[in-house]
Amino acid sequence: MDQPKITLDGYAQLAAEAFQFLKSTTIAQRAEFMFAVADKIEALGAELLETARQETALPLPRLTGEKARTVYQWRSYARAVASGLYAEARIDLPDTEKGKGDIRKYNVGIGPVLVFGASNFPFAFSTAGGDTASAIGAGCPVIVKGHAGHSRTSTIMADAITDVVSQFGWPHGTFSHVLGDHVEGTNIKIGAYLTAHPLVKAVGFTGSYWGGKALFDIANQREQPIPVFAEMGSVNPVFAFSQILEQRAEALAKEYAASLTLGVGQFCTNPGIFVAVKGAAFERFKRALAEEISGIAPAMMLNKGIYSHFEKNKNLLSNQPSVAFIAESQTAAQEGQGRPRIMATSADSFLKNDVLSEEVFGPFGLLIEADNYAQLLDVAKQLKGQLTITVAGTSEDVREHQTVIDVVKDKAGRLLFNGMPTGVEVVYAMQHGGPFPASTDPRFTSVGPDAVKRFVRPLAFQNWPDEFLPAELKNGNPLAIHRIVNGVASAEKVSHK
């Protein structure tokens, strides 16, 4: 359905008004809304998938799986919200003998949230993605800035959410969808305008470092700064130790090549760097990897812009001094197709050249060959913050190189022991975020139910009559949630002495 023509200020005002309504909703009511959105998305048929395929060049099996993941996100987040987990209700009952008052605290939404659609996940990280689901679960209205790379897909998803808003009779500003690049008649970018808008209280973003950092800077220059939860990607290095290379060099090469080229390398967890100490085992790995990469055919990338940046950055790193060619797909690429390539350099060159640590979004890998483990440790120390770091090794490797492990713990949001980092599960324990510049706030995740934490703040009530308290804090515990009462977890009713 077409929304009426509204200005950007109008969208922000509608969201602010909707926030006043959402503050009165309970976690159970918001969860019910989220389940309804999940049902609505699940019912969307072939038109959604085919539209997304045409706009992104992603294959239908991948899109079908991503749609299912999106539905699961809404339902799993809804269950988490309904459980009261993110309300974090705390009750400290009064004690008149000690002169102690009645203090109760829970989390509330922080206000209207601006969400940016991501290019590489048209469902799960875009209009109806995890940022939107977690913000609404927190009690925050959402304004989505749809991604130009899949605007028709974005509109279909937006219409589904808007239908549920109407079905529930909630205010129109509960969810809004904005398309376009610039504010009409100006050179001001829509995203920048809304990030600076005084009625917007937080931003969720998945994309490039430059895009996320620009929004972060705008938000911090406001009269009232706001949080920007930007997931900006990383090179996701793999550190391979001697015993695992000796035992599994060829198998590890297959695993690395598959992860590096999965989805034409268009994942923020793409393992763009592989680090090891030189030797016969590493040479076996390089030969096996060259054979694997040579046989992987190029494939269409998401859009012309991403393809152009891939070609530019791939060639920039390939043409750096002391960088050697290892392998490339033997199949020539057509315009718009990402052609896998592997290059190599020494640890000494990597440590002296900051360009080599930059992300290449696409099927490009850089092998870093250290002279010894002291130099490999230097590489680990120089790394910037990462979404993931993978340790490829045996238990003995880990015991022998605990110093390296301790260093990379400080650099990653998710630390893997063997396996490859592509593939992010929607579970409570997932951490999708990491030290800057992987994300702007490493305390939070953008995947899994804990993503809701980004969009809440604590509010305490002191000496309030029970009838005026929110349901989450009432004596009778009408939502039957677990609360911390006088320091003890409890789902029971409470009463004053």
Side-chain angles (χ1 to χ4, degrees):
M1 65 182 68
D2 294 330
Q3 291 183 330
K5 182 70 172 179
I6 303 174
T7 65
L8 295 180
D9 291 332
Y11 282 120
Q13 184 61 47
L14 286 172
E17 293 168 2
F19 180 54
Q20 298 307 310
F21 166 81
L22 288 177
K23 286 195 295 187
S24 69
T25 62
T26 67
I27 53 179
Q29 290 168 330
R30 295 199 297 276
E32 183 183 3
F33 178 93
M34 295 167 75
F35 280 122
V37 172
D39 292 344
K40 196 77 173 180
I41 294 172
E42 189 172 49
L44 294 173
E47 179 190 2
L48 173 68
L49 295 173
E50 180 57 27
T51 300
R53 187 194 67 78
Q54 292 175 5
E55 289 190 303
T56 65
L58 294 172
L60 286 176
R62 149 74 192 272
L63 290 168
T64 301
E66 187 184 330
K67 179 191 170 187
R69 169 183 167 158
T70 304
V71 170
Y72 177 76
Q73 282 180 163
W74 280 87
R75 289 176 178 156
S76 64
Y77 294 11
R79 287 190 290 270
V81 167
S83 75
L85 182 62
Y86 304 111
E88 295 186 338
R90 309 286 190 254
I91 299 175
D92 284 281
L93 296 172
D95 188 329
T96 54
E97 293 181 1
K98 296 181 179 179
K100 176 177 171 295
D102 183 302
I103 303 177
R104 308 183 183 207
K105 179 175 71 173
Y106 82 135
N107 288 333
V108 297
I110 57 178
V113 175
L114 173 62
V115 170
F116 286 79
S119 62
N120 57 337
F121 281 88
F123 304 152
F125 279 88
S126 289
T127 305
D131 286 350
T132 299
S134 53
I136 288 178
C140 301
V142 172
I143 303 172
V144 166
K145 168 65 174 67
H147 197 282
H150 44 77
S151 58
R152 289 181 293 136
T153 302
S154 185
T155 299
I156 293 172
M157 291 297 243
D159 287 348
I161 301 175
T162 302
D163 284 347
V164 176
V165 173
S166 298
Q167 173 189 329
F168 274 62
W170 286 13
H172 294 303
T174 301
F175 174 83
S176 300
H177 181 231
V178 180
L179 288 172
D181 292 327
H182 295 88
V183 180
E184 189 173 351
T186 74
N187 290 322
I188 302 171
K189 289 184 177 292
I190 288 174
Y193 185 89
L194 287 173
T195 299
H197 201 287
L199 295 179
V200 170
K201 301 303 180 183
V203 175
F205 173 86
T206 299
S208 70
Y209 168 77
W210 302 110
K213 184 60 164 57
L215 296 174
F216 179 80
D217 290 343
I218 291 169
N220 281 282
Q221 290 164 5
R222 290 172 38 145
E223 182 177 354
Q224 178 191 357
I226 60 171
V228 172
F229 301 104
E231 185 267 279
M232 301 179 291
S234 57
V235 295
N236 305 293
V238 177
F239 285 85
F241 294 112
S242 59
Q243 291 193 27
I244 199 73
L245 279 173
E246 186 64 39
Q247 296 173 14
R248 301 187 66 250
E250 290 76 15
L252 192 57
K254 287 180 180 290
E255 293 170 9
Y256 181 71
S259 181
L260 185 72
T261 59
L262 182 67
V264 205
Q266 297 168 120
F267 288 93
C268 50
T269 52
N270 181 36
I273 285 179
F274 190 98
V275 191
V277 173
K278 66 182 180 181
F282 195 21
E283 291 303 316
R284 284 169 46 211
F285 172 85
K286 287 193 285 187
R287 289 193 295 271
L289 181 60
E291 184 176 348
E292 288 294 320
I293 290 295
S294 296
I296 297 175
M300 290 299 296
M301 302 193 78
L302 288 160
N303 54 57
K304 292 180 180 179
I306 287 177
Y307 167 74
S308 175
H309 279 95
F310 170 66
E311 287 294 308
K312 174 184 175 182
N313 293 330
K314 177 178 70 173
N315 292 327
L316 174 64
L317 265 72
S318 297
N319 293 326
Q320 293 297 303
S322 303
V323 173
F325 177 85
I326 296 295
E328 190 170 49
S329 171
Q330 292 185 352
T331 305
Q334 299 176 7
E335 183 74 16
Q337 291 185 329
R339 188 179 185 184
R341 179 186 293 176
I342 300 290
M343 305 295 290
T345 193
S346 68
D348 184 63
S349 295
F350 180 82
L351 292 167
K352 294 176 180 177
N353 187 347
D354 289 342
V355 173
L356 298 178
S357 64
E358 296 300 319
E359 179 185 22
V360 177
F361 191 69
F364 176 86
L366 179 66
L367 308 184
I368 301 174
E369 187 172 59
D371 291 333
N372 48 51
Y373 279 106
Q375 199 172 53
L376 184 143
L377 178 61
D378 288 339
V379 171
K381 289 178 177 178
Q382 184 165 297
L383 283 176
K384 301 174 182 177
Q386 306 291 327
L387 293 174
T388 74
I389 294 178
T390 299
V391 173
T394 64
S395 296
E396 186 60 32
D397 280 325
V398 173
R399 280 189 287 269
E400 289 182 6
H401 303 292
Q402 192 58 51
T403 303
V404 176
I405 308 302
D406 288 342
V407 168
V408 297
K409 283 179 182 177
D410 296 335
K411 304 294 181 98
R414 178 163 55 108
L415 192 62
L416 292 90
F417 180 61
N418 295 322
M420 290 294 157
T422 40
V424 182
E425 295 185 40
V426 185
V427 294
Y428 283 91
M430 178 51 63
Q431 176 60 24
H432 193 60
F436 188 87
S439 62
T440 48
D441 195 330
R443 298 173 298 169
F444 299 98
T445 180
S446 63
V447 176
D450 278 357
V452 175
K453 291 181 180 180
R454 296 172 296 170
F455 304 119
V456 296
R457 69 173 181 87
L459 175 63
F461 295 81
Q462 187 162 344
N463 298 328
W464 277 76
D466 186 71
E467 65 176 302
F468 299 123
L469 288 170
E472 291 84 350
L473 298 177
K474 286 184 178 294
N475 290 334
N477 194 13
L479 299 175
I481 62 175
H482 279 84
R483 309 181 292 187
I484 303 296
V485 181
N486 289 344
V488 179
S490 172
E492 302 299 318
K493 299 176 182 180
V494 300
S495 59
H496 291 196
K497 292 182 180 179

